[in-house]
Amino acid sequence: QFEGKLAENVRNVIHAAGAFGQDVHVLLHGKDPASQQASVQKIKGVSKVLLAKNDSLENPVASDLANVAAKALKQGGYKQLLTPSTNFGKDFIARVGGIMDVQPITDVIKIESENVFHRPVYAGNAVSVVESSDNLKLITVRPTNFEAAKDASESAKSEDLDVSDCIGSS
């Protein structure tokens, strides 16, 4: 999200996350992320929305958001974290990797299994198959390679995440 608006590629990243065959939880952040909450709760595959409320998270720096994500990963026992392959997404995922001591897998264009990913190499002229044995997968995906998730008939639940100890602590 940026400037209080849900990023256009969120539905694509959610669809990519669905390839793991597990519940998808979405982390929303900002001064008042409730404005995006209702729309995210109705995306097919989303079972929970985590709300990180803090003025500093309205247009956050990657280090603050990485601290928030690391806290959510530890508390929730998550096995994957996906974000779009944008400049901010790559900065953010690298910082989470530093905190969690995990190597990110970037620019994924296909998720073959829980441990096997496809990503372009040689300026997109070839595709590399990457296998990871890490317990936690930190992944940036190219949103254009994944369909946008559709709307669901039921709404996902939401949960507040206390982020008071995450801001400005890097």
Side-chain angles (χ1 to χ4, degrees):
Q1 113 189 10
F2 181 71
E3 294 181 350
K5 296 178 184 169
L6 200 59
E8 292 179 21
N9 53 23
V10 166
R11 287 179 177 270
N12 305 79
V13 175
I14 289 170
H15 187 265
F20 290 101
Q22 301 168 4
D23 288 344
V24 175
H25 295 184
V26 176
L27 175 63
L28 285 179
H29 57 84
K31 182 177 181 178
D32 182 20
S35 58
Q36 295 85 35
Q37 178 181 350
S39 61
V40 171
Q41 284 178 302
K42 292 184 180 175
I43 297 175
K44 186 175 182 179
V46 175
S47 64
K48 185 190 288 186
V49 177
L50 298 173
L51 301 170
K53 300 175 187 175
N54 188 290
D55 290 353
S56 297
L57 295 175
E58 187 66 24
N59 294 311
V61 294
S63 58
D64 283 344
L65 192 55
N67 289 332
V68 170
K71 180 176 184 173
L73 288 167
K74 290 173 188 172
Q75 283 184 349
Y78 295 106
K79 299 290 182 195
Q80 301 93 15
L81 172 66
L82 280 73
T83 192
S85 288
T86 61
N87 287 339
F88 185 85
K90 290 177 187 180
D91 182 17
F92 158 73
I93 208 84
R95 291 172 185 272
V96 176
I99 295 167
M100 303 295 290
D101 196 25
V102 175
Q103 179 67 40
I105 304 165
T106 59
D107 293 323
V108 169
I109 59 172
K110 180 181 177 186
I111 298 171
E112 186 174 310
S113 72
E114 186 176 305
N115 298 316
V116 180
F117 311 94
H118 295 233
R119 60 184 303 273
V121 293
Y122 300 114
N125 291 315
V127 175
S128 173
V129 178
V130 177
E131 186 169 356
S132 173
S133 61
D134 289 337
N135 290 328
L136 172 63
K137 312 296 188 291
L138 302 177
I139 302 166
T140 67
V141 296
R142 289 193 174 178
T144 55
N145 288 89
F146 297 91
E147 292 180 30
K150 309 286 186 219
D151 285 333
S153 56
E154 297 182 22
S155 288
K157 61 184 177 179
S158 66
E159 179 180 306
D160 286 341
L161 180 66
D162 178 18
V163 296
S164 58
D165 59 340
C166 299
I167 308 303
S169 60
S170 35

